[in-house]
Amino acid sequence: MTAANQKATLSFSDGSPSVDFPILKGTVGPDVIDIRKLYGSTGKFTFDPGFLSTASCQSSITYIDGDKGELLYRGYPIEQLATKCDFLETCYLLLNGELPNAPQKSDFVARVTQHTMVNEQMHFFLRGFRRDAHPMAVLTGLVGALSAFYPDSMNLNDPHQREISAIRLIAKLPTLVAMAYKYSIGQPFIYPNNDLSYTANFTRMMFATPCEDYKVNDVLVRALDRIFILHADHEQNASTSTVRLCASSGTNPFAAIAAGVACLWGPAHGGANEAALNMLYDIQAQGGVEKIGEFITKVKDKNSSVRLMGFGHRVYKNYDPRAKLMRETCHEVLVALGLENDPLFKLAMALEKIALEDDYFVQRKLYPNVDFYSGIVQKAVGIPVSLFTAIFALARTVGWIAQLNEMITDPEYKIGRPRQLFTGAATRDVPDISAR
Ligand code: SDX
């Protein structure tokens, strides 16, 4: 961050003295007006619910150009990372700022592999849930519960403890997601097999049973590894901002990540992939492609509260680059599985085409986002719809950790404590109950 040689001057129509604020420049992207002294110098707050015009921090991890539809992790375009790297290389990049060389990669993979098991006591937590509990309810509980098992990695201010808790979280999320799935279908948990790659290990924990040897499905592993890369980080989205705000109190890393899991669950955020697939199922059940027009009419009707799930984005006002990669992955997987005529994929492409030609979406710059196609590819490889957001959380855990570490190591960071515009009752006396 550098101070631009410009300033912003705030003047008041009531004759109050005007105030100058420095303008700060990043490497790329919009400049910011540094208003940290605003309240002290004017007695006024800014007002920006939803943070549409607010930069909450400085960061060097992920950059999104919403107008161009570009996404960079530590400067590398997502299109290159998704095709030239695997997920653990991407984790190393997000955490350390550079891609690993071969020895660094094998060390990192070895460290993660050594932490894939969870404490046996964790198994008992699942027994408290109904078998049909939503996996995100289970995962929110399990990730928070990790705080009870690692007293040696609870102190956010100790870089060693931050490092080991990062490894533990990255390593154990696949195990916990697979446990939540096995519990929901009444099958026994499958322990990690450290001979397998990170993502192959996850597929085995998900789909193997003790009754027979499991053959790793390379199409499934490649598709999931790509999905993990595409979901790994995304600057200051709602769940990342939740993790930063939660960790700013100095709480432990497991609790902060559990807060991110809880926020991601929402259908406007990480829950959109589940909602988008259910939306496609509904349209299909009502008649498929011929019913798209009727559905779009409902979406455009303000009174219907129906949204085209998997479309629109606070930052992307162009095609989400992850959606393009997800659509390609979807097509590759469906062809590999002999499902190229999958009716749901055809319906999704028809819906996308119609929406992108409709003025309502064009005017509002609503394009498919990462969630529009991710459900179709996950369904094709056998992931149950209810697990989609848990898989998003598995992938985003590394981004949340990288962002949390960046905040904690920023010498200027403080506990997050926004103010408000108070519109409630002014001071008044409590009347006796007989007078109420
Ligand atoms: C993710 O922030 C991130 O980076 C998130 C994420 C990440 O990687 O972390 O990218 C992951 O959350 C992707 C988004 C997944 N959510 C969905 O697909 C749910 C459907 N999309 C929307 O609910 C919406 O687009 C949001 C929540 C994603 C963004 O909402 P904004 O920026 O607050 O925009 P808005 O709700 O103010 O919408 C602007 C206009 C409104 O119409 P008008 O009032 O101007 O007439 O666009 C309309 C909205 O009604 N609109 C939609 C729409 N999204 C916005 N109309 C129909 N369908 C939609 N999907």
Side-chain angles (χ1 to χ4, degrees):
M1 166 172 72
T2 54
N5 54 8
Q6 302 151 330
K7 63 184 181 184
T9 300
L10 184 59
S11 58
F12 297 90
S13 53
D14 64 2
S16 310
S18 60
V19 187
D20 290 341
F21 297 98
I23 289 179
L24 307 176
K25 278 182 134 9
T27 319
V28 64
D31 294 347
V32 299
I33 300 171
D34 181 352
I35 57 161
R36 284 175 286 187
K37 294 193 168 55
L38 174 74
Y39 182 56
S41 45
T42 69
K44 291 180 172 59
F45 299 137
T46 58
F47 185 65
D48 186 17
F51 312 118
L52 285 98
S53 301
T54 295
S56 61
C57 63
Q58 61 175 311
S59 179
S60 60
I61 300 172
T62 294
Y63 177 68
I64 301 169
D65 185 319
D67 294 327
K68 292 185 192 159
E70 287 174 0
L71 169 58
L72 309 177
Y73 289 167
R74 301 285 192 183
Y76 294 108
I78 192 68
E79 295 80 0
Q80 294 186 34
L81 291 169
T83 46
K84 296 181 176 179
C85 297
D86 65 25
F87 178 62
L88 283 189
E89 281 177 282
T90 307
C91 288
Y92 185 98
L93 170 69
L94 289 168
L95 292 171
N96 300 296
E98 295 299 337
L99 283 163
N101 59 32
Q104 288 164 334
K105 178 177 178 179
S106 55
D107 288 349
F108 185 71
V109 170
R111 264 179 70 62
V112 171
T113 304
Q114 289 309 313
H115 289 273
T116 48
M117 274 209 303
V118 294
N119 187 300
E120 281 294 288
Q121 291 301 104
M122 293 287 287
H123 292 193
F124 297 108
F125 286 126
L126 286 107
R127 292 186 193 163
F129 288 100
R130 291 165 46 129
R131 291 276 181 179
D132 62 355
H134 193 289
M136 286 300 278
V138 177
L139 195 64
T140 306
L142 291 178
V143 174
L146 287 173
S147 314
F149 291 87
Y150 302 106
D152 64 332
S153 63
M154 296 279 276
N155 178 3
L156 268 183
N157 297 306
D158 175 341
H160 168 73
Q161 294 192 40
R162 279 203 308 275
E163 196 268 344
I164 182 63
S165 62
I167 295 291
R168 281 172 167 151
L169 280 158
I170 292 166
K172 297 178 196 302
L173 257 286
T175 310
L176 294 178
V177 171
M179 284 168 70
Y181 173 59
K182 285 302 196 188
Y183 184 75
S184 74
I185 57 175
Q187 284 190 3
F189 303 136
I190 298 294
Y191 286 95
N193 173 342
N194 290 347
D195 294 336
L196 297 174
S197 73
Y198 182 87
T199 306
N201 209 356
F202 174 61
T203 62
R204 182 178 169 280
M205 290 189 282
M206 280 282 293
F207 300 117
T209 69
C211 318
E212 55 200 28
D213 289 344
Y214 175 75
K215 189 178 173 336
V216 169
N217 174 330
D218 291 336
V219 172
L220 168 58
V221 171
R222 235 186 356 267
L224 277 175
D225 203 73
R226 167 97 46 102
I227 287 171
F228 292 166
I229 291 171
L230 295 180
H231 288 81
D233 193 50
H234 214 238
E235 64 155 75
Q236 306 311 317
N237 59 83
S239 53
T240 297
S241 300
T242 299
V243 170
R244 278 180 173 257
L245 192 56
C246 184
S248 73
S249 73
T251 190
N252 69 80
F254 306 103
I257 300 303
V261 174
C263 176
L264 188 74
W265 190 359
H269 189 14
N273 50 20
E274 178 179 353
L277 197 76
N278 287 331
M279 171 189 73
L280 291 171
Y281 277 138
D282 289 350
I283 297 171
Q284 194 177 40
Q286 288 157 31
V289 177
E290 308 77 61
K291 288 294 178 186
I292 288 178
E294 213 174 288
F295 177 75
I296 294 281
T297 305
K298 262 192 244 163
V299 168
K300 295 181 338 189
D301 170 9
K302 285 292 168 207
N303 303 318
S304 76
S305 79
V306 172
R307 286 209 158 181
L308 181 51
M309 299 313 279
F311 256 70
H313 199 275
R314 173 62 56 77
V315 178
Y316 288 122
K317 300 309 169 189
N318 198 328
Y319 216 102
D320 181 337
R322 302 169 300 174
K324 276 186 194 150
L325 288 158
M326 195 62 79
R327 188 176 57 190
E328 282 164 25
T329 306
C330 210
H331 183 65
E332 284 161 21
V333 167
L334 291 172
V335 169
L337 297 175
L339 300 171
E340 52 272 35
N341 294 318
D342 178 280
L344 228 45
F345 184 51
K346 289 192 174 309
L347 177 61
M349 289 197 294
L351 182 52
E352 173 192 339
K353 186 172 180 309
I354 292 169
L356 292 182
E357 289 163 0
D358 186 301
D359 219 29
Y360 175 93
F361 296 89
V362 173
Q363 268 176 10
R364 291 168 178 79
K365 298 186 178 181
L366 301 176
Y367 290 86
N369 60 51
V370 67
D371 294 305
F372 190 64
Y373 285 102
S374 73
I376 302 170
V377 60
Q378 291 185 74
K379 172 189 151 300
V381 297
I383 306 281
V385 181
S386 62
L387 212 72
F388 291 174
T389 310
I391 287 186
F392 192 153
L394 184 168
R396 185 55 56 89
T397 291
V398 64
W400 288 331
I401 293 166
Q403 298 273 350
L404 179 160
N405 288 345
E406 183 175 66
M407 179 190 73
I408 290 293
T409 51
D410 177 346
E412 293 186 348
Y413 110 85
K414 294 179 181 308
I415 185 168
R417 206 286 187 205
R419 302 301 302 273
Q420 61 180 10
L421 174 66
F422 182 69
T423 54
T427 310
R428 53 183 174 159
D429 296 326
V430 174
D432 185 78
I433 192 162
S434 59
R436 289 180 208 158

